[in-house]
Amino acid sequence: MRTEADVCVDGRVVHVSSLDRVLWPAAGVTKAELLDYYVRVAHALLPHVAGRPVTLHRFPEGIGGPHFFQTRTPPHPPWVRTATLSFPRTGKTFDAPVLDDLPALVWAANLSTLEVHPFLGRVEALDRPTAVAFDLDPGPPAGMRDAAQVALAVHALLEDAGLVGFAKTSGSKGMHVFVPLNGDVTYEATKGFARSVAARLTAVSGGAVTDRMSRALRPGRVFVDWSQNDPGKSTVAVYSLRGTAFPSASTPVTWPEVESVARGQLPELRFGPDDVLERLERLGDLFAPVLSLRQELPPA
Ligand code: ATP
Ligand code: MN
């Protein structure tokens, strides 16, 4: 097999290399297979990352080796778009990549980017998040079942507020719930809303939930991380793979699936590349409404 090539992707020449490098040793999954997954999932993934800056989580030697989050765009072909991010608090300004199309996605994957993490704002309005994100982190011995129970509690609170939320696995330990807004809202408003939901859940959970960052509080609890709703933070994209022992993707799930996990009728929700592609064929993109549904947060 050739391990290096210039391939034509939608009219762009993309250089791909080290195609035989094993990125997931336990699963024997190579960089060629990583590229294949991202090409096949691109039709569903790209709408969720296009037009937004992203952080690349790169694993140059595979999951056993060093890995790093990279928001500053590495050397790139001229057709990879970038967006300038400025953070007044730290005084930092730099250009982040924007993966608008398949050539850009293949370019990123070739850098052993196993994980793609978009920001919640779009390039033309970086200070306007298009959704609220709840990051549900189970602290062992709490696990996905506990995270699913908390996701249902978030869902119920959202319903009370007249809002629809969408759940996905993180592809790692926990779950994420996204509330589409697609309006003109600020991070101040989304973070405030997420924080108040987290506080209410903590208050009624009898110790099963915490809304505090403190690691000491986490064992046996689910941390409802509201602080992801920040202009400086990104969250793993739906359909992105994870640098876990076996390749596993952040995957949208239905509320009945979340309920089955919460009740212990389904074990874990864990989906590999083939599972995700099969689900997309069968169910379509369960996260599509996150891009289009316009909702308004209740008054604070
Ligand atoms: P898990 O289910 O294991 O919690 P996760 O993706 O939700 O998986 P978290 O540690 O909860 O991981 O972090 C939430 C998000 O914050 C991640 O998806 C990632 O986008 C971002 N993040 C976490 N750690 C870093 C980091 N060191 N640098 C940049 N972004 C990070
Ligand atoms: Mn998390």
Side-chain angles (χ1 to χ4, degrees):
M1 187 178 95
R2 285 172 61 186
T3 63
E4 192 161 349
D6 285 322
V7 290
C8 187
V9 181
D10 287 354
R12 303 276 191 209
V13 177
V14 188
H15 184 72
V16 295
S17 55
S18 306
L19 294 171
D20 59 345
R21 181 178 296 153
V22 176
L23 297 175
W24 281 274
V29 171
T30 62
K31 196 160 140 195
E33 290 165 288
L34 173 77
L35 292 170
D36 180 63
Y37 170 74
Y38 277 121
V39 168
R40 290 166 59 169
V41 85
H43 67 282
L45 179 145
L46 277 173
H48 296 279
V49 302
R52 300 166 189 274
V54 296
T55 298
L56 310 177
H57 193 181
R58 296 176 59 187
F59 294 69
E61 292 160 34
I63 61 155
H67 55 100
F68 53 95
F69 287 89
Q70 190 168 41
T71 309
R72 199 180 291 268
T73 320
H76 58 279
W79 41 260
V80 172
R81 185 155 73 117
T82 62
T84 303
L85 305 185
S86 304
F87 298 102
R89 225 181 317 155
T90 55
K92 282 192 184 154
T93 295
F94 52 87
D95 289 341
V98 182
L99 308 179
D100 283 330
D101 50 27
L102 189 58
L105 181 62
V106 172
W107 164 78
N110 181 60
L111 297 173
S112 299
T113 297
L114 305 193
E115 308 184 347
V116 177
H117 298 251
F119 285 72
L120 285 164
R122 300 177 58 84
V123 172
E124 64 276 14
L126 287 168
D127 54 351
R128 295 286 186 264
T130 57
V132 183
F134 291 93
D135 171 22
L136 310 179
D137 290 338
M144 187 166 289
R145 182 174 179 183
D146 305 270
Q149 288 166 352
V150 175
L152 289 180
V154 173
H155 184 50
L157 275 186
L158 292 173
E159 271 189 339
D160 288 347
L163 293 166
V164 186
F166 295 83
K168 66 183 178 82
T169 66
S170 74
S172 178
K173 298 193 222 41
M175 301 194 64
H176 299 152
V177 176
F178 273 57
V179 185
L181 298 175
N182 298 302
D184 202 24
V185 71
T186 62
Y187 277 100
E188 197 186 351
T190 56
K191 193 186 272 189
F193 174 74
R195 187 174 193 164
S196 75
V197 167
R200 264 191 287 166
L201 289 173
T202 302
V204 300
S205 74
V209 173
T210 177
D211 60 352
R212 306 264 301 276
M213 222 68 71
S214 156
R215 294 218 163 255
L217 285 171
R218 295 206 206 161
R221 294 196 168 93
V222 177
F223 171 43
V224 178
D225 188 355
W226 44 269
S227 70
Q228 286 297 116
N229 298 287
D230 188 281
K233 289 201 176 169
S234 55
T235 303
V236 73
V238 68
Y239 306 116
S240 170
L241 291 175
R242 304 307 304 263
T244 42
F246 284 80
S248 138
S250 179
T251 308
V253 288
T254 64
W255 286 112
E257 284 176 314
V258 178
E259 249 170 60
S260 301
V261 176
R263 289 205 209 101
Q265 291 160 341
L266 262 185
E268 280 213 308
L269 291 169
R270 191 162 291 284
F271 304 102
D274 291 342
D275 304 321
V276 170
L277 294 166
E278 184 274 326
R279 283 173 69 86
L280 271 170
E281 237 168 63
R282 186 160 46 88
L283 305 169
D285 175 14
L286 294 172
F287 242 49
V290 172
L291 296 173
S292 56
L293 185 61
R294 287 189 73 121
Q295 302 189 101
E296 277 186 29
L297 293 176

